Amino acid sequence: EWYRGFKEDCPDGQLGRDKIRDMYSMILPPGNLQVFVDQIFKIFDKDGNGSIDFREFMMATDMTSSGTPEEKLRWAFKMYDRDGSGTIEQDEIVDIIETLYGMEGITSEAAGDKANRIFKQLDVNGDGELDEEEFIKGCTADADLMKLLNSGGIDADSDAGE
């Protein structure tokens, strides 16, 4: 059934950037859309051919829908580490959280403030960046943040991380 749906949407068996952009353009602001699409391809286009085939699509779908919370956080870490440095810097997490909160109707300024507080909470060693373990430990310790990062939404009144 998955394969039939994939072939209907992608008759040539390849899911390209344009199709993914079209799918996510309904929920992501234009400025963040390109970054998001680039990250999807960085992680899931394993053969580097510029499109996602059915096998890569199934790996991505399985990882994001049925993985353990830790697996989902590892995937999220890779998505949020936009420059591939192996760490998430404060500006990267601010952009991410502003986008996620923005989808929930929270202003960019309020989201930025929350993102900065979340970053400080997660940056346990105070070095100005989050490695994968800091990110996972900090996220699993905060129920609101886990809900937000798993795209489950969050109360506009909630103060994630506080």
Side-chain angles (χ1 to χ4, degrees), residues 117-151:
R117 287 194 302 268
I118 289 168
F119 186 85
K120 286 178 185 157
Q121 175 188 333
L122 296 178
D123 186 17
V124 177
N125 66 7
D127 65 355
E129 57 189 23
L130 305 175
D131 64 29
E132 191 171 28
E133 293 311 310
E134 270 181 310
F135 178 76
I136 290 169
K137 284 179 185 173
C139 290
T140 55
D142 187 313
D144 284 339
L145 188 53
M146 279 292 288
K147 186 176 179 185
L148 174 67
L149 293 174
N150 282 313
S151 300

Side-chain angles (χ1 to χ4, degrees), residues 73-89:
L73 286 171
R74 289 193 189 283
W75 177 83
F77 182 86
K78 288 178 185 165
M79 283 292 290
Y80 303 154
D81 178 18
R82 292 188 316 222
D83 62 6
S85 65
T87 60
I88 300 174
E89 289 77 31

Side-chain angles (χ1 to χ4, degrees), residues 26-131:
M26 295 175 237
I27 58 171
L28 290 174
N32 296 322
L33 179 61
Q34 187 59 48
V35 170
F36 183 77
V37 171
D38 288 346
Q39 290 300 97
I40 286 176
F41 275 83
K42 183 179 102 179
I43 295 168
F44 296 114
D45 181 16
K46 296 295 185 192
D47 59 12
N49 70 349
S51 64
I52 295 175
D53 62 27
F54 184 69
R55 184 185 61 77
E56 292 165 332
F57 171 75
M58 288 306 295
M59 286 172 47
T61 302
D62 183 57
M63 178 85 63
T64 58
S65 64
S66 64
T68 66
E70 185 173 325
E71 288 169 334
K72 289 179 181 181
L73 286 171
R74 289 193 189 283
W75 177 83
F77 182 86
K78 288 178 185 165
M79 283 292 290
Y80 303 154
D81 178 18
R82 292 188 316 222
D83 62 6
S85 65
T87 60
I88 300 174
E89 289 77 31
Q90 190 161 355
D91 65 323
E92 290 173 316
I93 206 155
V94 167
D95 286 348
I96 293 154
I97 298 210
E98 281 181 353
T99 299
L100 294 171
Y101 274 121
M103 293 182 336
E104 298 293 327
I106 297 172
T107 67
S108 180
E109 184 179 334
D113 291 345
K114 288 183 183 194
N116 285 314
R117 287 194 302 268
I118 289 168
F119 186 85
K120 286 178 185 157
Q121 175 188 333
L122 296 178
D123 186 17
V124 177
N125 66 7
D127 65 355
E129 57 189 23
L130 305 175
D131 64 29

